[in-house]
Amino acid sequence: MGREARPVVERTTEIRTRFAPSPTGLLHIGGVRTALFSWAYARHHRGTFILRIEDTDRERSTDDAVQVILDGMRWLGLDWDEGPYFQTQRYDRYRAVIDQFLGDGRAYHCYCSKEELESMRAAQLARKEKPRYDGRCRGGREPVPGVVPVVRFRNPVEGEVVVHDVVHGPIVFQNSELDDLIILRSDGNPTYNFCVTVDDWDMRITHVIRGDDHINNTPRQINMLRAMGGEVPVYAHLPMILGPDGTKLSKRHGAVSVLQYRDEGYLPGALLNYLGRLGWSHGDLEVFALEEFVGLFDVEAVNKSASALNVDKIAWTNQQHMMRMSGAQLAPFLAEQLGRSGIDPAGRDLAAIAEALKERTRTLKEMAEGSQFFFRRPEAYEPKAAAKHLGADAQPVLAALRTALAGIAGWEAGALHECLTQLAEARGVGLGKIAQPLRVALAGSGVSPPIDQTLAILGRDESLARLDRAIAFAAGPA
RNA sequence: GUCCCCAUCGUCUAGAGGCCAAGGACACUACCCUUUCAAGGUAGUGACACGGGUUCGAAUCCCGUUGGGGACGCCA
């Protein structure tokens, strides 16, 4: 090879990828993973990432689903450089290609009725053949009165198509296995395989990264692409994501809207981290930020086999991300989560609360739940904890606690801690003996962040008030 | 049924012929730390689907079997 200098970025080498969901269902975790890899590939190569909505199925496409896609992508931070394009806005272009195909014989009208197609299919199945259109209208057929024909692409009958897939290697298909697919429905709507082909070519997509459920569509698309004089892009078919039980993703598992993960308290960066590790890895690296992923990601390192969702690991990954963030960074997320639970976070130091809880909760939702007592005085003591720590015998400890704390000079964690250890020493007991009753008095249960931090966050007045209430409770009605 | 894809611990994975009596992570168990809960630390249980080749040597290459998945639509 020559050693002449090549421009670092040639126009022809600009990487262009796209994410092309259909708004017929919710954007779920599987779609997000596809979007992530496609996006990361473009970003890694400083290319262009395009969002395209495939809405040619007018019956089932909904505005709602479109909205989830847009909101989901924004929430995750998967930004696009072009689009969103809508296929329904490109009908003129599709029509032009179809007319061109019709004109040069690369496509033809088919007048077969649904019944005719159905019996053809039944016969083939009976013969244990792969059901497919037998091409009976190929040679031309007189128009059937009252029937609006569909348009079929005339697929080559002989030869083979080789799909050069970056993750799977070459995949060979015999043209004899393919049939003449419908590219224009009788209602005038073009179909998926055709639109994808036109769009990927028009939008100069260089790398088609999508789920491997599309492998079988690829040879048809290549044939159509060649028919319109296009060049074949690089294909990368990603393995599927399965439900936790290893079966197809369904609503029961994880095929829920990606926005549900937001509502369940997952950080976008953590979800993307988890998804990035499904089918891809970089040595033993488990926890990484999105920017790091972009730097490391390479579609050639993607696995071929499907992977199952592991809910525990999503949660673990989320906690790892929370622990790497500061309380201040976490605060807005916690505020949002508290809002979902109808709690007004005003008047409290959310950064301090998040800091205190981030290593003891796995999701923001758990964090919001665990921090409830900071915002609302516990309505009742957790029975077991109360029985153990707020009985009549606890009264002396609580009273001593009240006196010691009330006399403290600076109400902050360090001084509070000092005060508590001194009190424990004075009474000749371990810290646990006084921390637990105090904890139950403040939090209502035996679980809370470290007691000195809890006191500090709660503040002097509120802490002493809760202590008084606990003292009264320990005195008991009877 | 036909075509296509896939196959390492329960799960996610490392492994691109010798460095592997198979490494890491989640989960699980035990212990340590400890003011609760966590986090953290240490140790442990646990896998190359099976059968043939190729090779001095195979988790790694080839073939077959089995198992799983996908596609076969006027859905995408």
Side-chain angles (χ1 to χ4, degrees):
Chain A
M1 288 304 286
R3 300 185 56 200
E4 68 274 21
R6 300 181 64 185
V8 177
V9 177
E10 285 178 43
R11 174 157 175 71
T12 51
T13 60
E14 181 205 1
I15 302 291
R16 292 172 64 86
T17 66
R18 46 61 161 194
F19 176 52
S22 87
T24 53
L26 295 169
L27 174 60
H28 59 71
I29 222 76
V32 171
R33 207 274 304 262
T34 302
L36 172 64
F37 282 16
S38 193
W39 175 88
Y41 191 73
R43 290 285 170 271
H44 178 91
H45 294 282
R46 300 185 179 283
T48 303
F49 178 63
I50 296 160
L51 178 61
R52 184 174 76 219
I53 309 294
E54 314 227 318
D55 54 353
T56 53
D57 182 351
R58 314 194 93 141
E59 303 273 302
R60 281 181 282 193
S61 295
T62 66
D63 292 342
D64 216 50
V66 171
Q67 203 51 50
V68 171
I69 292 167
L70 263 25
D71 290 349
M73 294 288 283
R74 289 195 188 106
W75 173 62
L76 292 163
L78 300 180
D79 56 326
W80 54 93
D81 305 301
E82 287 181 23
Y85 294 116
F86 290 83
Q87 292 187 320
T88 45
Q89 290 175 1
R90 291 175 41 78
Y91 275 25
D92 289 350
R93 169 59 179 154
Y94 303 140
R95 189 71 234 188
V97 178
I98 287 169
D99 285 343
Q100 182 196 322
F101 275 9
L102 243 18
D104 60 18
R106 294 182 186 277
Y108 59 91
H109 292 292
C110 168
Y111 290 88
C112 292
S113 66
K114 301 228 167 162
E115 296 70 42
E116 196 173 349
L117 259 16
E118 190 43 54
S119 63
M120 184 194 304
R121 184 189 162 76
Q124 288 162 333
L125 246 20
R127 272 180 266 131
K128 295 187 189 293
E129 289 171 12
K130 180 197 273 190
R132 60 198 206 274
Y133 180 66
D134 64 5
R136 58 182 64 176
C137 294
R138 254 194 166 218
R141 176 165 161 182
E142 314 100 73
V144 178
V147 175
V148 183
V150 297
V151 175
R152 287 185 186 271
F153 174 70
R154 192 187 300 275
N155 197 78
V157 188
E158 296 180 327
E160 57 186 37
V161 179
V162 182
V163 177
H164 294 279
D165 191 286
V166 183
V167 342
H168 292 273
I171 305 170
V172 183
F173 293 88
Q174 297 304 317
N175 271 323
S176 56
E177 288 294 332
L178 275 25
D179 65 356
D180 293 346
L181 72 158
I182 291 172
I183 58 178
L184 186 70
R185 300 175 173 97
S186 50
D187 67 1
N189 282 297
T191 60
Y192 165 76
N193 278 108
F194 174 72
C195 296
V196 172
T197 307
V198 173
D199 287 349
D200 285 344
W201 174 238
D202 283 359
M203 296 173 191
R204 292 152 43 228
I205 303 301
T206 58
H207 298 252
V208 172
I209 300 172
R210 65 200 345 175
D212 67 13
D213 49 338
H214 287 288
I215 287 181
N216 290 293
N217 290 325
T218 311
R220 298 167 181 284
Q221 293 173 10
I222 289 176
N223 282 334
M224 286 190 283
L225 189 58
R226 285 182 177 147
M228 59 187 169
E231 286 165 37
V232 180
V234 173
Y235 291 99
H237 287 100
L238 310 174
M240 300 275 88
I241 293 181
L242 277 16
D245 59 357
T247 64
K248 197 179 177 183
L249 217 48
S250 74
K251 290 225 171 90
R252 187 82 194 92
H253 304 115
V256 295
S257 159
V258 60
L259 296 177
Q260 196 161 319
Y261 283 86
R262 174 193 65 192
D263 299 346
E264 291 293 320
Y266 291 94
L267 259 3
L271 188 61
L272 258 15
N273 180 167
Y274 173 77
L275 256 17
R277 279 286 288 105
L278 242 37
W280 175 86
S281 61
H282 182 77
D284 290 337
L285 186 62
E286 294 284 352
V287 182
F288 44 79
L290 194 52
E291 307 76 61
E292 206 176 350
F293 178 68
V294 168
L296 262 17
F297 182 72
D298 183 352
V299 76
E300 294 192 20
V302 171
N303 277 165
K304 294 184 228 232
S305 51
S307 40
L309 236 35
N310 182 336
V311 181
D312 277 320
K313 191 156 182 182
I314 300 177
W316 175 82
T317 306
N318 198 64
Q319 181 169 29
Q320 292 301 311
H321 277 251
M322 293 204 298
M323 289 194 300
R324 283 165 173 71
M325 289 165 76
S326 68
Q329 288 174 303
L330 248 11
F333 288 101
L334 176 59
E336 191 190 342
Q337 193 68 40
L338 284 166
R340 272 191 266 278
S341 319
I343 292 177
D344 178 11
R348 289 288 173 205
D349 186 348
L350 285 190
I353 293 174
E355 185 61 43
L357 282 163
K358 69 183 189 187
E359 66 182 28
R360 46 203 107 233
T361 54
R362 307 201 301 172
T363 66
L364 293 160
K365 190 176 186 181
E366 286 178 14
M367 183 181 275
E369 283 160 5
S371 65
Q372 287 229 17
F373 75 90
F374 284 118
F375 306 97
R376 298 178 180 153
R377 221 170 256 192
E379 288 174 13
Y381 298 109
E382 201 263 301
K384 274 189 182 167
K388 189 167 183 189
H389 299 293
L390 295 185
D393 56 332
Q395 262 195 302
V397 190
L398 293 169
L401 232 13
R402 161 80 227 215
T403 311
L405 290 173
I408 220 167
W411 194 272
E412 47 84 28
L416 290 162
H417 182 257
E418 186 62 20
C419 170
L420 294 178
T421 41
Q422 279 177 12
L423 182 64
E425 218 167 294
R427 298 179 65 86
V429 296
L431 234 197
K433 288 285 181 214
I434 63 171
Q436 274 317 89
L438 180 55
R439 192 184 311 278
V440 179
L442 299 176
S445 80
V447 179
S448 89
I451 200 65
D452 43 3
Q453 285 179 42
T454 301
L455 282 164
I457 293 168
L458 226 32
R460 179 190 158 93
D461 295 349
E462 184 61 23
S463 296
L464 293 180
R466 291 189 188 188
L467 203 39
D468 286 337
R469 217 162 63 115
I471 289 169
F473 177 89

